Amino acid sequence: MTELLSRENHFAAVLAAGRALGMPEDPQRLLETLVETACSHTAASAGAIWLSDDEGEGLTLAVPSRNPPTRLGPRDGMAGRCAHAGAMLHVRDPEDVGPASELIAADLGPEAVLNLPLPARDGAVLGVLQLLHAQRDGFTDEMLSWAQLVVTLAGLMLENLRLDTSAQQASRLHDEVEVAREIQRSTLPDSMPQVTGYDLHGHFQPATYAGGDMFDVVQLEHGVFLLLGDATGHGFGPALSAVQMQGMLRLAFRLGADLDHAFLHVNNQLSEDLPADRFITAFMGFLDPGAHTVSYHSAGQGPILHFHAADGHCDWHRPDMFPVGVLGLDEVKPAISLPLAPGDILALISDGLYEQIGTDGSEFGQDRVGAILQRDHALPMAEVCRNLMTAVERFAVGCAQADDITMILVRRLP
């Protein structure tokens, strides 16, 4: 009868521990509850939890918390030996208890220390539960059996909690990525402005969720503003830099600045804001549909393609100054003026298309772009853009897109 009652108490304690351990949602609180529950059912004077590093290079004290947290090497101390062996370590000789630095309550003078691994489903050791007892024979066989059941249960709960936390973190990261992507896409034009005598088209295809490229085509008092920017790298950091430049330029023009002064002040501001290894290559200009000219600054952005409809040849214009944000300026030279004859095309294309690598290791290059413009120049610009993207995708079949691809195509109608 005594054995039956003992067994009933044993399982009741396990069920109570399961309920207690199942309540906390916070990982730290789960660990603290594990120590409290284990101590209450084993008469331990104190307890601790050591968690295994993800890299398997040792243990870090989690309960009680310390700042900075105490660490043990892979096989250091009782907890380290227990984690390495993956088996219970019951030390009942005060001389074998170990250095005081490992014991969380060394001042209690424990006679026995029970070390229990926290197992994962795959057999890995998530950590070690360490219980201290004031009596050498304080941990009875029943307590040892109970403690092993509890740490098995706790190990499974801790593993599930870690998996849930990882899934929640991944979900939050995905949500943040989507928000950043939507913010960047919201800065792109919803549609091209309708300009009498012109066909305009813009395209943006990032290499990652968010790209360092951007473009803008908008009707302003000065004319049609054309902006194509490429911040160093690709991802969220460069994307923010490109969006920052776009916002500063739009604000400058709304306040009445001309192209030269807007470029000067935006460049100088970004030279202060951007890290030393960051800059933005940018084409910024205005299309004057009455005079049929494009006035522009090309800050490290090139080549600029000008297709001449009269004789079918292509001119390639190099940048006329260094990228935006590299160096502060006292003045800027006047914008370049490019005349557009009937049927001419101005193609602003980021280097992601020109430098796309094909299966033979070569780049897509200027010649292929020029040949497509010469062949398809009479088609709508949206169709020319699709043909360019189809051509580069076929050229790079099996090779990942290495950089963002952005373009603005401007054609003066015949």
Side-chain angles (χ1 to χ4, degrees), residues 21 30-40 46-49 63-64 129-131:
L21 294 175
L30 172 63
L31 298 176
E32 292 170 354
T33 303
L34 169 59
V35 172
E36 294 167 2
T37 304
C39 288
S40 66
I49 292 283
V63 177
L129 168 64
Q130 199 170 62
L131 300 175

Side-chain angles (χ1 to χ4, degrees), residues 5 36 97 152 159-160 218 238 243 285 403 411 413:
L5 289 175
E36 294 167 2
V97 163
T152 299
E159 184 179 28
N160 287 338
V218 59
V243 170
D403 199 359
R411 182 186 184 224
L413 299 176

Side-chain angles (χ1 to χ4, degrees), residues 19-33 157-158 160-166 168 172:
R19 285 194 297 271
L21 294 175
M23 290 172 58
E25 296 182 358
D26 176 65
Q28 182 66 24
R29 184 55 193 150
L30 172 63
L31 298 176
E32 292 170 354
T33 303
M157 290 179 175
L158 182 60
N160 287 338
L161 191 56
R162 284 187 171 185
L163 292 173
D164 289 343
T165 301
S166 298
Q168 291 170 3
R172 284 196 299 269

Side-chain angles (χ1 to χ4, degrees), residues 28-324:
Q28 182 66 24
R29 184 55 193 150
L30 172 63
L31 298 176
E32 292 170 354
T33 303
L34 169 59
V35 172
E36 294 167 2
T37 304
C39 288
S40 66
H41 291 287
T42 60
S45 55
I49 292 283
W50 300 84
L51 292 182
S52 300
D53 296 343
D54 292 336
E55 298 80 9
E57 297 180 352
L59 298 168
T60 300
L61 180 65
V63 177
S65 60
R66 294 285 186 268
N67 188 19
T70 305
R71 286 184 49 79
L72 293 174
R75 302 187 188 184
D76 291 348
M78 293 174 290
R81 299 199 304 272
C82 172
H84 177 72
M88 180 180 70
L89 176 61
H90 188 191
V91 179
R92 285 174 286 190
D93 188 337
E95 295 183 358
D96 294 335
V97 163
S101 60
E102 182 188 349
L103 299 179
I104 308 311
D107 57 319
L108 297 178
E111 293 287 323
V113 179
L114 181 62
N115 303 270
L116 294 158
L118 297 171
R121 291 181 178 87
D122 60 1
V125 176
L126 300 175
V128 173
L129 168 64
Q130 199 170 62
L131 300 175
L132 286 62
H133 207 291
Q135 298 180 10
R136 182 177 300 188
D137 296 325
F139 295 114
T140 65
D141 290 341
E142 182 181 353
M143 290 177 180
L144 296 179
S145 176
W146 177 89
Q148 287 179 316
L149 283 173
V150 170
V151 295
T152 299
L153 177 64
L156 295 175
M157 290 179 175
L158 182 60
E159 184 179 28
N160 287 338
L161 191 56
R162 284 187 171 185
L163 292 173
D164 289 343
T165 301
S166 298
Q168 291 170 3
Q169 291 174 343
S171 177
R172 284 196 299 269
L173 177 60
H174 179 269
D175 291 342
E176 291 172 1
V177 166
E178 288 300 320
V179 169
R181 188 178 185 182
E182 287 305 312
I183 290 174
Q184 184 185 26
R185 289 193 175 277
S186 69
T187 66
L188 302 176
D190 294 328
S191 60
M192 293 295 101
Q194 299 300 308
V195 181
T196 302
Y198 283 85
D199 178 13
L200 299 93
H201 183 75
H203 178 78
F204 171 63
Q205 181 168 304
T208 55
Y209 274 102
D213 283 12
M214 55 79 57
F215 77 92
D216 201 4
V217 181
V218 59
Q219 181 79 58
L220 298 174
E221 291 183 7
H222 300 70
V224 181
F225 176 52
L226 306 173
L227 172 65
L228 187 142
D230 182 0
T232 49
H234 47 268
F236 298 125
L240 290 174
S241 299
V243 170
Q244 179 186 8
M245 181 184 68
Q246 179 192 20
M248 292 166 67
L249 285 168
R250 280 204 174 191
L251 178 60
F253 294 132
R254 294 187 194 283
L255 294 176
D258 59 25
L259 180 60
D260 294 343
H261 284 90
F263 175 84
L264 178 66
H265 292 299
V266 169
N267 172 80
N268 291 349
Q269 185 63 55
L270 288 175
S271 70
E272 296 179 9
D273 295 345
L274 295 178
D277 61 342
R278 292 287 181 179
F279 57 84
I280 305 172
T281 63
F283 175 101
M284 57 185 77
F286 277 95
L287 166 65
D288 184 339
H292 303 296
T293 59
V294 175
S295 301
Y296 71 88
H297 289 293
S298 181
Q301 184 65 49
I304 307 302
L305 171 56
H306 180 193
F307 170 77
H308 296 267
D311 55 12
H313 84 275
C314 294
D315 280 339
W316 302 89
H317 299 278
R318 298 174 59 82
D320 64 311
M321 64 179 65
F322 50 77
V324 177

